[in-house]
Amino acid sequence: MSDVNKTIQKWHASFKKGTDFDSWGQLVEAIDEYQILARQLQKEVQSTNSSDFTEEQKKTLGKIATCLEMRSASLQCTQSNEEFKLEDLKKLETIIKNILTYNKEFPFDVQPVPLRKILAPGEEENLELEEEEDAAAGVGSTEAFPPRAPGNCTLLPRLPSEPGMTLLTIRIEKIGLKDAGQCIDPYMTISVKDVNGVDLNPVQDTPVATRKEDTYIHFSVDIEIQRHVEKLPKGAAIFFEFKHYKPKKRFTSTKCFAFLEMDEIKPGPIVIELYKKPTDFKRKKLQLLTKKPLYLHLHQTLQKDS
Protein backbone atom coordinates (compact mmCIF):
# COMPACT_ATOMS: atom_id res chain seq x y z
CA MET A 1 0.00 0.00 0.00
CA SER A 2 1.37 3.43 -0.95
CA ASP A 3 2.07 6.12 1.65
CA VAL A 4 -0.81 8.28 0.42
CA ASN A 5 -3.27 5.37 0.74
CA LYS A 6 -1.99 4.69 4.26
CA THR A 7 -2.58 8.35 5.12
CA ILE A 8 -6.14 8.23 3.75
CA GLN A 9 -6.79 4.99 5.64
CA LYS A 10 -5.56 6.65 8.86
CA TRP A 11 -7.83 9.67 8.26
CA HIS A 12 -10.81 7.41 7.61
CA ALA A 13 -10.15 5.42 10.80
CA SER A 14 -9.93 8.68 12.80
CA PHE A 15 -13.17 9.96 11.22
CA LYS A 16 -14.97 6.69 12.05
CA LYS A 17 -13.61 6.74 15.60
CA GLY A 18 -14.88 10.30 16.11
CA THR A 19 -18.38 9.63 14.75
CA ASP A 20 -18.61 6.44 16.83
CA PHE A 21 -17.74 8.36 20.00
CA ASP A 22 -20.28 11.01 18.95
CA SER A 23 -23.09 8.49 18.43
CA TRP A 24 -22.30 6.82 21.79
CA GLY A 25 -22.58 10.14 23.61
CA GLN A 26 -18.85 10.27 24.48
CA LEU A 27 -18.65 13.92 23.50
CA VAL A 28 -15.26 14.85 24.98
CA GLU A 29 -13.60 11.98 23.11
CA ALA A 30 -15.49 12.85 19.91
CA ILE A 31 -14.40 16.51 20.10
CA ASP A 32 -10.76 15.48 20.60
CA GLU A 33 -10.86 13.14 17.61
CA TYR A 34 -12.57 15.70 15.36
CA GLN A 35 -10.08 18.43 16.26
CA ILE A 36 -7.03 16.18 15.76
CA LEU A 37 -8.30 15.08 12.34
CA ALA A 38 -9.20 18.66 11.34
CA ARG A 39 -5.65 19.79 12.17
CA GLN A 40 -4.17 16.90 10.15
CA LEU A 41 -6.30 17.77 7.13
CA GLN A 42 -5.48 21.49 7.40
CA LYS A 43 -1.77 20.66 7.62
CA GLU A 44 -2.06 18.70 4.36
CA VAL A 45 -4.03 21.51 2.70
CA GLN A 46 -1.41 24.11 3.67
CA SER A 47 1.56 21.94 2.72
CA THR A 48 3.44 23.31 -0.29
CA ASN A 49 5.77 20.33 -0.58
CA SER A 50 3.15 17.61 -0.98
CA SER A 51 2.19 16.47 -4.48
CA ASP A 52 -0.01 13.61 -3.24
CA PHE A 53 -3.23 15.57 -3.77
CA THR A 54 -4.45 17.93 -6.48
CA GLU A 55 -5.50 21.49 -5.59
CA GLU A 56 -9.15 20.46 -6.00
CA GLN A 57 -8.67 17.51 -3.62
CA LYS A 58 -6.95 19.79 -1.11
CA LYS A 59 -9.92 22.15 -1.31
CA THR A 60 -12.24 19.22 -0.52
CA LEU A 61 -10.04 18.18 2.43
CA GLY A 62 -10.20 21.76 3.68
CA LYS A 63 -14.00 21.70 3.51
CA ILE A 64 -14.08 18.42 5.46
CA ALA A 65 -11.87 20.07 8.11
CA THR A 66 -14.36 22.96 8.30
CA CYS A 67 -17.25 20.51 8.83
CA LEU A 68 -15.30 18.70 11.56
CA GLU A 69 -14.73 22.01 13.34
CA MET A 70 -18.40 22.95 12.93
CA ARG A 71 -19.54 19.64 14.48
CA SER A 72 -16.96 20.04 17.25
CA ALA A 73 -18.23 23.57 17.95
CA SER A 74 -21.85 22.31 18.05
CA LEU A 75 -20.90 19.76 20.72
CA GLN A 76 -18.80 22.19 22.74
CA CYS A 77 -20.89 25.32 22.78
CA THR A 78 -24.19 24.85 24.55
CA GLN A 79 -25.04 28.52 23.92
CA SER A 80 -24.62 28.51 20.15
CA ASN A 81 -27.56 28.72 17.78
CA GLU A 82 -25.58 27.13 14.96
CA GLU A 83 -25.69 23.37 14.74
CA PHE A 84 -23.98 20.87 12.47
CA LYS A 85 -25.62 17.49 12.99
CA LEU A 86 -23.90 14.11 13.29
CA GLU A 87 -26.04 12.72 10.45
CA ASP A 88 -24.70 15.51 8.20
CA LEU A 89 -21.10 14.79 9.17
CA LYS A 90 -21.52 11.08 8.42
CA LYS A 91 -22.28 11.98 4.79
CA LEU A 92 -18.58 12.89 4.45
CA GLU A 93 -17.27 9.42 5.30
CA THR A 94 -17.47 8.23 1.68
CA ILE A 95 -15.70 11.39 0.49
CA ILE A 96 -12.74 11.07 2.85
CA LYS A 97 -12.45 7.36 2.13
CA ASN A 98 -12.43 7.95 -1.65
CA ILE A 99 -10.75 11.36 -1.80
CA LEU A 100 -8.48 10.32 -4.71
CA THR A 101 -11.44 9.50 -6.97
CA TYR A 102 -14.19 11.76 -5.59
CA ASN A 103 -15.37 14.18 -8.29
CA LYS A 104 -18.87 15.23 -7.23
CA GLU A 105 -20.03 18.51 -5.75
CA PHE A 106 -19.38 18.89 -2.03
CA PRO A 107 -22.68 18.29 -0.15
CA PHE A 108 -22.45 21.40 2.07
CA ASP A 109 -21.97 25.07 1.26
CA VAL A 110 -18.82 25.64 3.34
CA GLN A 111 -15.37 27.03 2.64
CA PRO A 112 -11.98 25.74 3.77
CA VAL A 113 -10.86 27.54 6.93
CA PRO A 114 -8.57 30.39 5.80
CA LEU A 115 -5.01 30.43 7.05
CA ARG A 116 -5.37 32.46 10.21
CA LYS A 117 -2.63 32.15 12.76
CA ILE A 118 -3.32 32.17 16.50
CA LEU A 119 -0.11 33.03 18.28
CA ALA A 120 1.19 31.92 21.63
CA PRO A 121 1.54 34.68 24.23
CA GLY A 122 4.57 36.82 23.43
CA GLU A 123 4.87 35.81 19.77
CA GLU A 124 2.85 38.79 18.54
CA GLU A 125 5.50 41.22 19.83
CA ASN A 126 8.04 39.71 17.42
CA LEU A 127 5.67 40.04 14.47
CA GLU A 128 4.85 43.63 15.38
CA LEU A 129 8.57 44.43 15.47
CA GLU A 130 9.08 42.79 12.06
CA GLU A 131 6.18 44.82 10.63
CA GLU A 132 7.68 48.06 11.96
CA GLU A 133 11.00 47.16 10.31
CA ASP A 134 9.20 46.39 7.02
CA ALA A 135 7.36 49.71 7.19
CA ALA A 136 10.64 51.56 7.79
CA ALA A 137 12.11 49.84 4.75
CA GLY A 138 9.09 50.74 2.61
CA VAL A 139 7.87 47.15 2.41
CA GLY A 140 4.12 46.72 2.27
CA SER A 141 1.34 44.64 0.77
CA THR A 142 -1.70 45.90 -1.10
CA GLU A 143 -3.30 42.44 -1.20
CA ALA A 144 -6.86 42.36 0.11
CA PHE A 145 -7.27 40.62 3.45
CA PRO A 146 -8.63 37.04 3.23
CA PRO A 147 -11.99 36.22 4.84
CA ARG A 148 -11.61 35.70 8.58
CA ALA A 149 -12.88 32.81 10.69
CA PRO A 150 -13.62 34.00 14.25
CA GLY A 151 -12.48 31.87 17.18
CA ASN A 152 -14.68 28.83 17.66
CA CYS A 153 -16.81 28.77 20.80
CA THR A 154 -15.59 25.87 22.95
CA LEU A 155 -17.72 26.28 26.07
CA LEU A 156 -18.35 23.06 27.98
CA PRO A 157 -21.52 21.97 29.82
CA ARG A 158 -21.85 21.89 33.60
CA LEU A 159 -20.23 18.97 35.42
CA PRO A 160 -22.48 16.34 37.03
CA SER A 161 -23.17 17.17 40.67
CA GLU A 162 -21.53 15.13 43.43
CA PRO A 163 -22.65 14.96 47.08
CA GLY A 164 -20.78 17.51 49.18
CA MET A 165 -19.05 19.06 46.16
CA THR A 166 -19.42 22.65 44.89
CA LEU A 167 -19.87 23.61 41.24
CA LEU A 168 -18.68 27.03 40.06
CA THR A 169 -20.31 29.00 37.25
CA ILE A 170 -18.66 32.28 36.26
CA ARG A 171 -20.62 34.76 34.20
CA ILE A 172 -18.39 37.08 32.19
CA GLU A 173 -20.43 40.28 32.13
CA LYS A 174 -18.14 42.79 30.41
CA ILE A 175 -14.58 44.08 30.08
CA GLY A 176 -13.54 47.73 30.22
CA LEU A 177 -10.99 48.91 27.63
CA LYS A 178 -10.18 52.42 26.42
CA ASP A 179 -10.24 51.22 22.78
CA ALA A 180 -13.13 48.76 23.16
CA GLY A 181 -14.85 49.91 19.96
CA GLN A 182 -11.78 49.15 17.82
CA CYS A 183 -11.40 45.49 18.86
CA ILE A 184 -12.29 43.06 16.05
CA ASP A 185 -13.81 39.63 16.80
CA PRO A 186 -13.12 39.87 20.55
CA TYR A 187 -13.41 36.74 22.66
CA MET A 188 -12.11 35.29 25.93
CA THR A 189 -10.04 32.18 26.58
CA ILE A 190 -10.61 30.70 30.04
CA SER A 191 -8.17 28.30 31.66
CA VAL A 192 -7.52 26.91 35.13
CA LYS A 193 -3.84 26.65 36.06
CA ASP A 194 -1.91 25.36 39.03
CA VAL A 195 0.80 27.39 40.75
CA ASN A 196 3.29 26.34 38.04
CA GLY A 197 1.04 27.43 35.18
CA VAL A 198 0.01 23.87 34.21
CA ASP A 199 -3.54 23.31 32.89
CA LEU A 200 -5.89 21.62 35.36
CA ASN A 201 -8.99 21.72 33.12
CA PRO A 202 -9.83 21.85 29.41
CA VAL A 203 -9.35 25.38 28.02
CA GLN A 204 -12.57 27.11 26.90
CA ASP A 205 -13.22 29.92 24.40
CA THR A 206 -16.29 32.14 24.55
CA PRO A 207 -18.27 33.06 21.44
CA VAL A 208 -17.17 36.31 19.79
CA ALA A 209 -18.69 39.29 21.62
CA THR A 210 -20.82 41.50 19.37
CA ARG A 211 -22.07 44.22 21.75
CA LYS A 212 -19.79 47.20 22.39
CA GLU A 213 -20.78 50.25 24.39
CA ASP A 214 -18.45 53.18 25.14
CA THR A 215 -15.42 51.66 26.88
CA TYR A 216 -17.05 48.25 27.40
CA ILE A 217 -17.31 45.02 25.46
CA HIS A 218 -20.23 42.93 26.72
CA PHE A 219 -20.00 39.14 26.81
CA SER A 220 -22.88 38.08 29.10
CA VAL A 221 -21.83 34.43 28.88
CA ASP A 222 -21.63 31.64 31.50
CA ILE A 223 -18.47 29.56 31.96
CA GLU A 224 -18.84 26.21 33.72
CA ILE A 225 -15.56 25.50 35.54
CA GLN A 226 -14.69 21.88 34.84
CA ARG A 227 -13.55 20.95 38.35
CA HIS A 228 -15.33 21.02 41.70
CA VAL A 229 -14.13 23.88 43.90
CA GLU A 230 -12.99 21.47 46.63
CA LYS A 231 -10.73 19.70 44.10
CA LEU A 232 -8.88 22.87 43.06
CA PRO A 233 -5.35 22.74 44.51
CA LYS A 234 -3.86 25.44 46.70
CA GLY A 235 -2.31 28.21 44.61
CA ALA A 236 -4.49 27.51 41.54
CA ALA A 237 -6.06 30.37 39.58
CA ILE A 238 -8.67 30.86 36.86
CA PHE A 239 -7.32 32.91 33.94
CA PHE A 240 -9.24 35.09 31.49
CA GLU A 241 -7.32 36.07 28.34
CA PHE A 242 -8.90 38.75 26.16
CA LYS A 243 -8.13 38.13 22.47
CA HIS A 244 -8.93 40.01 19.28
CA TYR A 245 -8.10 39.86 15.57
CA LYS A 246 -5.49 42.14 13.96
CA PRO A 247 -6.30 42.30 10.22
CA LYS A 248 -3.09 44.05 9.19
CA LYS A 249 -1.00 41.33 10.77
CA ARG A 250 -3.51 38.54 10.05
CA PHE A 251 -3.39 36.92 13.45
CA THR A 252 -5.37 36.70 16.67
CA SER A 253 -3.56 38.41 19.52
CA THR A 254 -3.86 38.42 23.30
CA LYS A 255 -4.46 42.00 24.39
CA CYS A 256 -4.56 41.53 28.16
CA PHE A 257 -5.46 39.03 30.87
CA ALA A 258 -6.97 38.76 34.35
CA PHE A 259 -7.22 36.01 36.93
CA LEU A 260 -9.19 34.85 39.96
CA GLU A 261 -7.30 33.27 42.85
CA MET A 262 -8.82 30.69 45.18
CA ASP A 263 -9.59 33.17 47.99
CA GLU A 264 -11.60 35.27 45.52
CA ILE A 265 -14.05 32.45 44.73
CA LYS A 266 -17.18 33.76 46.45
CA PRO A 267 -20.80 34.04 45.27
CA GLY A 268 -21.85 37.33 43.74
CA PRO A 269 -20.34 40.06 41.54
CA ILE A 270 -16.62 40.82 41.44
CA VAL A 271 -14.40 43.14 39.38
CA ILE A 272 -10.77 42.12 38.77
CA GLU A 273 -7.78 43.99 37.41
CA LEU A 274 -6.41 43.67 33.89
CA TYR A 275 -2.73 42.96 33.21
CA LYS A 276 -0.47 43.53 30.21
CA LYS A 277 0.44 40.67 27.88
CA PRO A 278 2.14 38.25 27.59
CA THR A 279 0.01 36.14 29.93
CA ASP A 280 1.99 35.27 33.04
CA PHE A 281 0.42 32.03 34.23
CA LYS A 282 2.89 31.81 37.13
CA ARG A 283 1.89 35.33 38.31
CA LYS A 284 5.49 36.38 38.92
CA LYS A 285 5.88 39.56 36.82
CA LEU A 286 2.55 41.34 36.65
CA GLN A 287 2.05 44.76 35.06
CA LEU A 288 -1.31 46.53 35.18
CA LEU A 289 -2.77 47.29 31.75
CA THR A 290 -3.92 50.77 32.74
CA LYS A 291 -4.23 53.12 35.72
CA LYS A 292 -7.75 53.97 34.60
CA PRO A 293 -10.70 52.33 36.42
CA LEU A 294 -11.25 49.67 33.74
CA TYR A 295 -11.76 46.07 34.85
CA LEU A 296 -13.14 42.65 34.00
CA HIS A 297 -16.64 42.31 35.48
CA LEU A 298 -17.70 38.83 36.60
CA HIS A 299 -20.49 37.19 38.58
CA GLN A 300 -19.90 33.92 40.42
CA THR A 301 -22.49 31.30 41.28
CA LEU A 302 -21.62 28.41 43.62
CA GLN A 303 -23.89 25.40 43.77
CA LYS A 304 -23.31 22.73 46.41
CA ASP A 305 -25.02 19.36 46.28
CA SER A 306 -25.90 18.38 49.84
Side-chain angles (χ1 to χ4, degrees), residues 168 192-193 200 229 231-238 260-266 283 300:
L168 172 61
V192 183
K193 310 277 186 181
L200 296 171
V229 173
K231 294 180 181 178
L232 289 168
K234 186 178 179 181
I238 302 167
L260 267 180
E261 295 187 315
M262 293 302 97
D263 59 356
E264 295 175 300
I265 295 179
K266 297 168 186 172
R283 292 160 274 159
Q300 302 180 82

Side-chain angles (χ1 to χ4, degrees), residues 105-151:
E105 191 173 335
F106 198 77
F108 304 108
D109 183 18
V110 298
Q111 294 302 317
V113 176
L115 181 58
R116 173 173 178 171
K117 195 173 183 185
I118 296 179
L119 299 180
E123 280 189 302
E124 59 263 25
E125 283 87 350
N126 297 331
L127 274 189
E128 285 166 6
L129 183 63
E130 286 170 16
E131 189 183 69
E132 286 168 10
E133 289 170 353
D134 285 348
V139 177
S141 172
T142 56
E143 181 188 352
F145 300 134
R148 291 177 290 100

Side-chain angles (χ1 to χ4, degrees), residues 47-157:
S47 170
T48 53
N49 301 324
S50 171
S51 58
D52 293 332
F53 301 96
T54 65
E55 286 305 309
E56 200 58 40
Q57 288 165 351
K58 283 186 176 184
K59 193 180 289 185
T60 301
L61 290 173
K63 289 181 178 183
I64 294 172
T66 298
C67 292
L68 288 165
E69 290 194 351
M70 288 169 67
R71 177 58 186 163
S72 181
S74 293
L75 295 178
Q76 290 169 326
C77 190
T78 55
Q79 301 180 25
S80 171
N81 294 325
E82 296 179 19
E83 189 176 346
F84 194 82
K85 294 182 171 59
L86 174 59
E87 61 205 55
D88 292 332
L89 189 65
K90 283 185 173 180
K91 293 174 184 175
L92 305 181
E93 184 177 354
T94 307
I95 302 175
I96 199 166
K97 191 176 176 181
N98 302 296
I99 187 65
L100 294 177
T101 55
Y102 183 79
N103 58 7
K104 296 178 184 174
E105 191 173 335
F106 198 77
F108 304 108
D109 183 18
V110 298
Q111 294 302 317
V113 176
L115 181 58
R116 173 173 178 171
K117 195 173 183 185
I118 296 179
L119 299 180
E123 280 189 302
E124 59 263 25
E125 283 87 350
N126 297 331
L127 274 189
E128 285 166 6
L129 183 63
E130 286 170 16
E131 189 183 69
E132 286 168 10
E133 289 170 353
D134 285 348
V139 177
S141 172
T142 56
E143 181 188 352
F145 300 134
R148 291 177 290 100
N152 282 330
C153 165
T154 57
L155 297 184
L156 295 167

Side-chain angles (χ1 to χ4, degrees), residues 6 38 120 168 192-193 195 203 210 213-214 278 287 289 296 306:
K6 284 179 185 174
L168 172 61
V192 183
K193 310 277 186 181
V195 71
V203 176
T210 53
E213 187 179 63
D214 299 327
Q287 277 188 292
L289 180 68
L296 178 61
S306 54

Side-chain angles (χ1 to χ4, degrees), residues 29-46:
E29 292 85 351
I31 290 164
D32 283 346
E33 203 63 43
Y34 290 152
Q35 291 183 340
I36 289 167
L37 180 55
R39 280 196 295 271
Q40 289 173 348
L41 297 180
Q42 284 166 357
K43 188 177 177 182
E44 182 61 46
V45 170
Q46 293 166 12

